[in-house]
Amino acid sequence: MKHRFALLASVLICAGFLWGARPSIGAEATPTGIAAPSDSILQQELKQQQIKSTTKRVGDQLEGIIAEFDRNGIQGEDVKVLRAIRGVLDRLTQQDMEKVIGYLQQTRASGDAATLARHATEAYAGQKTIVVQLQQLVLEYQRQQAFYEISLRLKELANRQSANMWLGVGLAKSVGDKSGFNAYDENQKINLRYQQSEQNPLKDEVAAILKKLDRLCAELADGPTAERPRAALQQSKEGGLTPALESAATELQENTLKLLSAIGNEKKARDQLREIARMLILSQDAVEALKQALQELDRAIDEQKKVTLATQKTDKRDEADRRAAEQAAVVDDTDLIRRDIDSLAPIASEHLKGAVARMQDARENLEKQDDPKRRVEQAQPRQNEALLEMAQARRALEEQLAKAEELAEKPENNLAALKELQKEVRELVKNEETHKDETGKTERKDLPSKAPRQGELKDKSQDLQARAATPSPEAASALGDAANQMQKAQNSLAQQQNNTAAQQASVDALQKADEALGKDIARLEQAEKDLAKLDEAAKKLSEIIQDQQQTQGSTSKQAVKPQPETEPTKELAQKQDKLGQDTGALKQETESPAPAAASHLDSARKQMADAKAQLDKPAAREAQPPQKKALNELYQAKNEIDKKRDDLRSQLGLPPEGNDNLAQAQKAIEQAQKDVNNALSDLQQAPPGLMDALQKQQKEIAGALHELRQDSPQSKQVAQAEQSANDAAHQLSESNLPRAIDSMKAVQNAIQQAKQATAPGADPAAPQTGQPPGSPKSPAAGQPAPSLPDLSQQQAEVQKAAEGLLAQQKAAPQAAMQSAAESLQSAANALGPVTAGALGQLPSGAQQSLQAAEDASSEGSAQASGNQNSPAQVNAQAAANALAQAQAALSLAQAGLGSQPGQGQQPGEGQGKGQGQGKGQGQADGQGQGQGKGKGQGNPPPQGDGNDGNWAGSGGANGDHRGTGGTGTFTKLPGRDRAAILQSQAEKYPQEYGALVEQYLRNLSDQGSQK
């Protein structure tokens, strides 16, 4: 069987191949300008075909892994993630990569330069989008792997904590009534010190793991991957894990010794560790919980069989004592399962309660002071009875699982379900009261005949308890109490006794359940009303956002004119005023059902008033900042409304809004991408990928300067040159040629200062390498680095090419600028309804990226119409990057994976936008300088060093081989396969992938280290 890490390595290979395919399509940057090798496009087509084949092969391998998981009954969130990755890879090979190949073929067949440029741009943009999607897959898988490893480690720590707890139990029995450490004998003191040496490191390790989990949670935004770690982290706080560990460590110390209290805290910590580990792996829906309970019960049954068999062969006192300890451990595990399913499967829980009681009897018999043979004779019948109870519990669990799966396929409305439950509970109250009256009038000798009827009522109560578990936990708890009291009454009747008190207690518990159901029904009825209000508010807000987008776009066009026209600006002021009034009215409507949204709407209204005041002057440029703030507040209000709607739908048990909206959003993105690509082609006046080729050369210069400054006596000046070279590379990534050229000039100035500071007698012009100019890559081991004069010459060549490209852009014909403006406006128009919410709620990663793309497209359109090529190109590139991010997020969401804003974008590809020169935050590196204002989203993956890449980050997987015991995750596999999987959890990539993965990791490091 292929292990989990082999999959990650395969996905990395695909991403690495695509990174290598990113130089220009159809053109190369040279010192003298632009050259177009005849076979460049054909080479790209062949390379893309190879990538497609590799990706398909990875998908086929993944299909084999999933099939083997299915054959061995392995389920859970990790398998769901693998299925989702498989789905995304299918889409990439069958649709996206095939589309890129088609564009490349059309490029080769194109006769005129304009058509060739269009198709080449489409192909290049398609490649970038595929890279982003593969990066998202890698990040998602790394997160999943990190959660899986944390879960395994917490399970191991829970086992260690359990072992320490049982040592404490044994010590407590041996010391008896002894008080204080000084009263212990030498063996008892050694036992206690050993527990101390285990408990303190365990506490520290748990603290480190929780810190890592907290960091992972901070990196996530939405999706199923985000829910589980947050719930686990919350459980660690609410469950008191850290205080329990600290108290246990303190109470085991000699001067503060409280042995029994320490044992209690150790048990609490052990239970919390197990629960948190489970929450990281499993979603909390009933089906998954019941499946997990079945797996755990199977393991408990296996352990009980082992203990029973070992008991049969016991004939010595010390062996009997060991069997007692082993039996106690099975009791412990079985009771944990019982508590997990108490509400979900009450009948199975009752059987497990009986099994625990039988096991406790067996343990007590094994601990007696009788001779071993006598102990075994008394314990064995109870052990066999426990196995029978466990088997009955398993059957009950399977029946409940079948019901839960049927319900999952056909979800019921929680409000209707609660009303039906309340009706049945009230009927059960009447039946129990009637039965109580009947048994009160029945003669003692006839009471056993009433026991079956009491059992039927108990069964009905348990059935209602299981149905109420999800929609009304409080009612489910009360129904469980009623069932317990009915069981007591049934037992009494069978023994010719009338337990009126138990019957009355069951009636009281049923009435309590009725009250709880009434409260929940009232809450859901209010939720139903609030949902209707918010659905209507969402429609109104969508219209306001679209109108604000249009008003903002029109204002941008006025702002780029040397003298804004008075009449259109006054018209815009009137529209802005009307929008402010509508926003204020909507704020009043949402105050009750969604106060957080109402707060954002109020802020938007105030910003609209400020914008209106500026438009009245008229001052279109000054009106833009408050307009942008208003739109941002509207988006935040939309997010709050969407969140509240989702919460209300979840409370009501209504299905989430369908994925059809995601498919429609994908179509809108594809159309916007075509428009933006057309605009870039018009604005750049150069083959696609040329800017990236310049950026690559610039990063190589920065890398060479980094190598040179390590041993340079002019390290300060060389460091300044390196920083400027990195700045230039970053500006090229944003298509900001003017600022990039300024940074290149700063590189030359810093190099000249370094050369002037050279020690007397040195020849600064003497080459250190013998390498020809134009080869600034970091040297291989044993080869000298390029000299400062070499790098100065190389920088001059790149600067000359950039200046030539800038001159071409400035000379772009008016028709091309107008065409770009229309294309960007078309993209903004396509995205406007989507960002406004016309297609419903999108994953937050996609939503924020689309908002950025819509804003950048609108700004770029206005700038292009005002003949401002450079800022228009910056915004067009920002829109293209954001659209690639949005498409990747939607692809993952359609496959059922979480989408995180800002993840997966290559370093340096920020999303600065707006007018003027300013600093913004890029999506990937978080600190890049962009043109204009605006914030990207997300946190970067950890930066690598070229050897280990980002494996040491939060999603990393390096580490020693793990053990093969204690996880229980692959129990149905053959022992050898199970051991191989468990040992490979932290294993490095397979040997056959070594060279490719190492190159990919170097690419990652190169991308990240040049920030």
Side-chain angles (χ1 to χ4, degrees), residues 627-662:
Q627 282 184 330
K628 290 181 180 179
K629 291 178 182 177
L631 188 58
N632 184 56
E633 292 290 346
L634 291 175
Y635 283 138
Q636 293 188 58
K638 176 185 178 300
N639 289 338
E640 293 295 339
I641 288 176
D642 287 341
K643 277 194 229 173
K644 187 64 178 177
R645 290 169 67 205
D646 279 350
D647 179 55
L648 293 173
R649 293 184 71 84
S650 177
Q651 291 181 37
L652 291 165
L654 300 177
E657 294 181 332
N659 277 345
D660 289 346
N661 293 340
L662 299 182

Side-chain angles (χ1 to χ4, degrees), residues 42-294:
L42 179 58
Q43 290 175 356
Q44 288 292 324
E45 183 182 338
L46 295 174
K47 200 177 287 187
Q48 188 65 59
Q49 290 279 13
Q50 181 187 9
I51 295 167
K52 178 185 174 185
S53 299
T54 302
T55 308
K56 185 178 184 304
R57 186 168 64 251
V58 172
D60 293 341
Q61 292 174 352
L62 180 54
E63 185 65 34
I65 295 173
I66 295 171
E68 192 143 359
F69 281 169
D70 288 340
R71 286 194 297 273
N72 287 279
I74 300 173
Q75 297 295 329
E77 287 297 317
D78 48 350
V79 181
K80 289 182 181 178
V81 169
L82 298 185
R83 293 184 193 279
I85 290 175
R86 171 70 165 121
V88 176
L89 291 178
D90 278 347
R91 173 188 169 87
L92 288 176
T93 54
Q94 295 174 12
Q95 298 182 36
D96 295 357
M97 292 185 186
E98 191 61 43
K99 192 181 295 183
V100 168
I101 292 169
Y103 284 133
L104 290 170
Q105 291 171 344
Q106 293 172 13
T107 302
R108 286 197 296 117
S110 298
D112 63 286
T115 305
L116 184 148
R118 297 281 188 205
H119 291 318
T121 302
E122 292 283 2
Y124 185 70
Q127 283 185 332
K128 293 180 71 173
T129 301
I130 293 169
V131 168
V132 171
Q133 292 190 55
L134 285 171
Q135 290 174 305
Q136 291 274 22
L137 280 181
V138 171
L139 287 168
E140 187 67 31
Y141 191 86
Q142 285 178 327
R143 282 190 290 265
Q144 183 69 20
Q145 183 78 357
F147 297 146
Y148 189 82
E149 290 180 349
I150 289 176
S151 176
L152 288 179
R153 189 61 190 142
L154 289 175
K155 284 182 179 180
E156 293 171 5
L157 293 174
N159 290 338
R160 279 175 52 188
Q161 183 65 87
S162 186
N164 218 33
M165 179 191 74
W166 286 113
L167 279 175
V169 171
L171 179 60
K173 288 180 179 179
S174 69
V175 299
D177 296 332
K178 293 180 183 178
S179 177
F181 178 75
N182 292 329
Y184 290 5
D185 62 32
E186 193 59 32
N187 287 334
Q188 291 166 348
K189 289 179 180 179
I190 292 173
N191 187 321
L192 179 64
R193 289 188 179 117
Y194 178 80
Q195 291 183 59
Q196 294 170 357
S197 68
E198 279 289 298
Q199 194 63 40
N200 285 311
L202 193 148
K203 176 193 69 173
D204 295 338
E205 189 166 355
V206 170
I209 290 176
L210 291 179
K211 185 176 180 181
K212 181 176 182 180
L213 185 59
D214 188 36
R215 186 169 64 251
L216 281 168
C217 290
E219 294 175 3
L220 300 178
D222 65 351
T225 308
E227 295 170 3
R228 289 181 285 120
R230 285 180 184 152
L233 193 62
Q234 188 64 25
Q235 177 66 32
S236 73
K237 296 174 182 176
E238 295 178 353
L241 172 59
T242 300
L245 288 167
E246 291 175 347
S247 296
T250 301
E251 290 164 349
L252 286 173
Q253 297 302 312
E254 298 165 12
N255 57 344
T256 56
L257 183 59
K258 296 179 182 177
L259 185 56
L260 293 179
S261 178
I263 292 169
N265 279 309
E266 286 176 325
K267 183 179 186 302
K268 180 178 181 181
R270 188 278 313 273
D271 293 348
Q272 287 300 311
L273 286 169
R274 287 181 175 178
E275 178 62 21
I276 295 167
R278 287 183 50 196
M279 294 177 76
L280 282 172
I281 294 296
L282 293 174
S283 60
Q284 297 304 300
D285 65 275
V287 172
E288 292 296 340
L290 290 170
K291 285 181 178 178
Q292 178 70 6
L294 268 173

Side-chain angles (χ1 to χ4, degrees), residues 117 141 269-270 354 504 608 614 665 691 725 808 820 824 827-828 890 907 939:
Y141 191 86
R270 188 278 313 273
Q504 184 58 50
M608 291 176 184
Q614 294 297 333
M691 195 73 72
Q808 284 182 293
L824 287 171
L890 286 182
N939 297 311

